[in-house]
Amino acid sequence: MLGAIIGDIVGSRFEFNNTDNYNFELFTEESTFTDDTICTIAIADAILNKKSYKDSLLEWCRKYPNPKGAYGGSFARWIVADDPQPYNSFGNGSAMRVSPTAWLFNDLDTVLLEARKTAEITHNHTEGIKGAQAIAELIYKIRKGAIEVPKHGYVTKVYLEEGYYDIPLLSEIRKHNNFNETCQITVPQSICCFYEGNNFEECIRLAISIGGDSDTIGAITGSLAEARFGIPPIMVHEALKRLPDEMIRIVKQFYNIIQWG
Ligand SMILES: [Mg+2]
């Protein structure tokens, strides 16, 4: 969960000002949480404190109506609607907020079911659900040691319950990465950065320096990297400094109860 939050905060200043520099400064005065953090907190809060995913997302997003980078257009309308309904989205919002499900449920079927539920209140398109389930499934299997993660190197496909993703080459992504916020494009990109990094920080640096929807690619990649590598304490410290107390309360509640292994 903090992996997603850190990826979001680090990427926040690059979403609309992309960098291809790998050696950028991780945290500056400008670095702040955005919608990816707010929605991830909302999903964790829902599970931890027995709220529906929909109610919790509405509650948190209405409380923070103007994050840096703003909400996506359709999601922004969903937040303020009188009777918010799913809108068949395949945006990457379903994948960036899903990570708490992979830690707070302890069998794969339940993780996949809950990941689907977090997605389909807004992102009920097949690709929106697949994006959420793919990330939840990978985090779950990694934390359980259920899949072999290569130490380093190119992986062509990731097999998932919902079919597979073709994973692009890092060099291909770098060649012509335009801004794109769909699951189909950004989830495989994030998985690539996760596989290519040798530690948490490297994964985040790769995720940001490929350009595109930086904070969200950072969040998705960070959520995977946390399960494999853990997070350096200094990065946790820098992230917590940038969160309001009510979010830190949810983060603490989460890390007090997650089951490892
Ligand atoms: Mg964002």
Side-chain angles (χ1 to χ4, degrees), residues 92-169:
N92 52 19
S94 60
M96 60 69 157
R97 71 192 185 205
V98 76
S99 58
T101 63
W103 293 95
L104 294 171
F105 297 101
N106 281 299
D107 68 87
L108 182 59
D109 286 346
T110 310
V111 167
L112 289 170
L113 179 68
E114 295 298 321
R116 166 182 290 276
K117 286 191 206 164
T118 68
E120 65 192 3
I121 45 178
T122 51
H123 293 52
N124 54 330
H125 188 283
T126 315
E127 291 291 344
I129 293 166
K130 177 181 173 181
Q133 288 188 316
I135 296 305
E137 180 179 343
L138 273 175
I139 295 171
Y140 178 79
K141 286 181 171 172
I142 294 159
R143 82 175 177 88
K144 289 284 188 185
I147 48 170
E148 196 66 28
V149 183
K151 276 210 160 45
H152 190 267
Y154 175 55
V155 176
T156 54
K157 289 183 193 303
V158 170
Y159 289 94
L160 302 154
E161 302 283 316
E162 291 280 310
Y164 64 83
Y165 276 125
D166 283 316
I167 306 302
L169 272 170

Side-chain angles (χ1 to χ4, degrees), residues 8 15 34-37 68-70 96 213 215-216:
D8 174 40
E15 181 178 7
T34 81
D35 56 341
D36 309 78
T37 292
K68 185 183 177 94
M96 60 69 157
D213 189 4
D215 56 334
T216 300

Side-chain angles (χ1 to χ4, degrees), residues 7 12 22 32-33 37 59 65 71 95 113 121 128 131 133 147 154 156 159 176 180 187 195 201 216 232 239 248:
S12 62
Y22 179 86
T32 179
F33 70 87
T37 292
E59 176 191 331
Y71 294 106
L113 179 68
I121 45 178
Q133 288 188 316
I147 48 170
Y154 175 55
T156 54
Y159 289 94
H176 38 66
N180 180 292
V187 169
Y195 275 130
E201 183 179 327
T216 300
I248 292 176

Side-chain angles (χ1 to χ4, degrees), residues 17-31:
N17 183 24
N18 277 180
T19 184
D20 57 6
N21 174 14
Y22 179 86
N23 293 306
F24 63 89
E25 211 175 330
L26 287 170
F27 295 94
T28 71
E29 299 266 288
E30 268 179 85
S31 311

